[in-house]
Amino acid sequence: MKKNFGLAFLLISLNAAATRTIHIFVALCDNVNQGIVKVPEKIGNGQDPKNNLYWGCGYGIKTFFTNATEWKLVKKYSNPSGDILERLLFKHKNTDTWLLADAYDGAKIKQCTIDFLQSTAGDFACAIKADSIQLQFGGSANLIGYCGHDGLMDFNLESYPTAKNIEKRDAIILACFSRSYFTPALKKAGANPLLWTSHLMCPEAYTIKNAIDGWILNETAEQIRSRATQAYSNYQKCSEKAARNLLVTGW
């Protein structure tokens, strides 16, 4: 009983806190335009968000968060830009936390990566109006995530965005070997690597969703990592030790 009361009190406290925002950048899985191990054609079409492995499939960002009991889909935007095929705005049901998820055309993975990195540096303005509330995402988001193929394995960027201010934005990068490939960029951006990877991985939504659950509750980085580890182990049918070796936090 005390435990339930404590959780209820925590949720009430969080609900009374300032609005927090999360922005997830998703590079749609693309057999043609990305250097990935090929997946079935239907789920590997980077121009078809509805059936895409990382968006419309059962463990894709769109489907998984839409079906999650803690989240409510507030609005859907079709083709909000030339690079983004679909945009979704979610509201957490127990706290004043908003999540914006962008599905980038798989052929535009480089631009997706650039926009993500600019956001981690505090740039890339993105304002969304929900009812009478003006929400700030992009570089003004409190947590910034990337899910998809590690494009930095295929292309180089001429430069990395430099931190625009002293704020330390939390970043989650679910892509193969993301710690190895994204370290220079995140250090220049001044971001905090809350969760990223040491090896090959499948960047489906359950991992980032579980990590976000802990982040909303203001858990420590290690607690958030443990949540993500348990989800990855469960859905990928691998040992928790293997998942923990894969999903790492900090430098």
Side-chain angles (χ1 to χ4, degrees), residues 108-123:
K108 304 295 182 65
I109 185 173
K110 186 172 184 178
Q111 191 59 52
C112 181
T113 303
I114 291 171
D115 292 351
F116 164 74
L117 290 177
Q118 286 184 334
S119 297
T120 64
D123 215 335

Side-chain angles (χ1 to χ4, degrees), residues 37-233:
V37 175
K38 306 302 180 188
V39 300
E41 183 178 355
K42 185 176 182 179
I43 64 175
N45 181 347
Q47 292 67 55
D48 177 20
K50 180 180 178 180
N51 296 298
N52 197 267
L53 177 62
Y54 300 149
W55 192 257
C57 283
Y59 298 145
I61 291 290
K62 177 180 182 178
T63 304
F64 205 79
F65 275 90
T66 299
N67 291 336
T69 57
E70 307 94 330
W71 292 93
K72 176 185 177 182
L73 177 59
V74 176
K75 195 168 183 179
K76 180 176 76 171
Y77 309 80
S78 296
N79 300 299
S81 78
D83 302 318
I84 302 170
L85 301 181
E86 190 168 70
R87 166 174 283 173
L88 303 176
L89 179 65
F90 293 92
K91 170 72 168 62
H92 193 262
K93 293 179 180 178
N94 299 316
T95 69
D96 192 17
T97 305
W98 298 78
L99 186 155
L100 189 71
D102 284 334
Y104 278 70
D105 182 330
K108 304 295 182 65
I109 185 173
K110 186 172 184 178
Q111 191 59 52
C112 181
T113 303
I114 291 171
D115 292 351
F116 164 74
L117 290 177
Q118 286 184 334
S119 297
T120 64
D123 215 335
F124 191 67
C126 181
I128 299 291
K129 189 172 183 180
D131 297 326
S132 59
I133 306 171
Q134 189 80 357
L135 300 166
Q136 300 297 327
F137 295 95
S140 296
N142 304 104
L143 174 63
I144 303 159
Y146 174 88
C147 297
H149 173 57
D150 187 342
L152 296 181
M153 300 173 75
D154 302 332
F155 54 77
N156 295 315
L157 299 180
E158 293 181 4
S159 62
Y160 298 131
T162 302
K164 190 174 181 180
N165 50 51
I166 62 172
E167 291 184 25
K168 291 284 185 181
R169 284 156 288 277
D170 288 328
I172 294 176
I173 310 176
L174 297 186
C176 297
F177 295 101
S178 58
R179 181 172 62 180
S180 298
Y181 284 87
F182 281 83
T183 289
L186 281 200
K187 284 192 172 181
K188 192 168 183 180
N192 171 48
L194 183 61
L195 188 71
W196 49 0
T197 67
S198 64
H199 212 276
L200 297 169
M201 68 97 61
C202 180
E204 292 177 322
Y206 40 81
T207 306
I208 196 167
K209 192 269 180 188
N210 264 36
I212 288 171
D213 287 346
W215 181 85
I216 288 174
L217 292 172
N218 293 317
E219 292 182 345
T220 66
E222 279 299 330
Q223 289 173 318
I224 291 169
R225 178 191 182 194
S226 293
R227 282 179 178 267
T229 293
Q230 291 167 7
Y232 197 83
S233 171

Side-chain angles (χ1 to χ4, degrees), residues 11-59:
L11 290 174
I12 291 172
S13 299
L14 289 170
N15 197 37
T19 300
R20 294 203 292 175
T21 56
I22 303 165
H23 196 158
I24 300 178
F25 295 79
V26 181
L28 295 181
C29 180
D30 195 315
N31 284 335
V32 175
N33 298 292
Q34 298 171 8
I36 62 173
V37 175
K38 306 302 180 188
V39 300
E41 183 178 355
K42 185 176 182 179
I43 64 175
N45 181 347
Q47 292 67 55
D48 177 20
K50 180 180 178 180
N51 296 298
N52 197 267
L53 177 62
Y54 300 149
W55 192 257
C57 283
Y59 298 145

